[in-house]
Amino acid sequence: MPFPDESAPVIVVDYQPQWAVDFEKLAGTLRGALGDRARAVDHIGSTAVPGLAAKDCVDVQVLVDAIDEERQTRLLAAAGFRCRPEPWNRAEESGGQRCPKLVFAPPVGARRCNVHLREVDGPNARFALLFRDYLRADEDARRTWGAFKKRLALSVPDLPDYGQIKAPATQLLMAAAERWAAENGWQAALGRAVRS
């Protein structure tokens, strides 16, 4: 379950240009907390796609050489970030591999966000960037995905249920994204600087 201050129904809103500004502020805070341990800080998820409807929660991916839960949790906790207590935090499947990860919630009262720490060479890091870049490039996919999420949020406002229903649709979207990547020679820009 999310932290008590995060409980709210799922609401999907039209794209907000402020999301890119909010990401830049978060990226600066995260770089300050992690220093050179952060190999890259990327704006990911739906709020990173201009024109795409999304939940008003900025997703940030921080790439690190290796997940070190004790040290990274301590560094981010010093900046107020809270390691997510949900059972899905610590690992995820991507590309047929089990990948380590850590996800952090914002400080109490701060801008809603999810901070995803992933290893720089993990397929899960590539997945997040491909999702973003494909939806930035394909207007029809972007429009369809946004409309789907809006309809889903109206009928299923509970976050865990929303996520479970959205997961298989995400797999279909990502199959199209993989085709797009192959056709266009797309490669993930892993481990480089701060990108919105």
Side-chain angles (χ1 to χ4, degrees), residues 77-165:
F81 292 91
R82 300 166 288 169
C83 192
R84 288 210 164 277
E86 291 91 346
W88 49 259
N89 193 8
R90 306 290 183 289
E92 64 190 344
E93 282 286 321
S94 186
Q97 282 184 265
R98 186 166 170 80
C99 305
K101 71 165 185 172
L102 288 173
V103 183
F104 293 82
V108 174
R111 199 257 178 269
R112 285 186 64 208
C113 68
N114 285 308
V115 177
H116 305 258
L117 264 64
R118 294 183 173 119
E119 294 182 350
V120 72
D121 58 353
N124 52 343
R126 178 189 178 277
F127 182 98
L129 297 175
L130 176 56
F131 173 91
R132 179 196 68 191
D133 291 354
Y134 171 61
L135 287 172
R136 283 179 173 177
D138 191 306
E139 184 178 346
D140 288 339
R142 182 172 57 248
R143 187 175 39 251
T144 302
W145 188 245
F148 164 70
K149 291 194 312 170
K150 280 185 168 184
R151 286 191 309 273
L152 180 58
L154 287 173
S155 59
V156 184
D158 178 71
L159 184 59
D161 292 342
Y162 173 90
Q164 281 194 332
I165 293 169

Side-chain angles (χ1 to χ4, degrees), residues 9-20:
V10 175
I11 299 171
V12 174
V13 300
D14 290 334
Y15 177 78
Q16 307 292 312
Q18 182 64 36
W19 291 335

Side-chain angles (χ1 to χ4, degrees), residues 60-76:
V60 180
Q61 175 169 270
V62 179
L63 298 182
V64 295
D65 287 324
I67 297 295
D68 180 342
E69 183 172 352
E70 183 179 332
R71 170 179 258 176
Q72 291 154 347
T73 297
R74 181 175 40 81
L75 291 170
L76 288 172

Side-chain angles (χ1 to χ4, degrees), residues 44-64:
I44 60 166
S46 295
T47 62
V49 181
L52 180 60
K55 299 187 304 293
D56 186 23
C57 180
V58 173
D59 283 300
V60 180
Q61 175 169 270
V62 179
L63 298 182
V64 295

Side-chain angles (χ1 to χ4, degrees), residues 126-128 130-131 134 169-179:
R126 178 189 178 277
F127 182 98
L130 176 56
F131 173 91
Y134 171 61
T170 302
Q171 293 305 315
L172 291 174
L173 175 76
M174 293 308 292
E178 289 292 357
R179 285 191 300 276

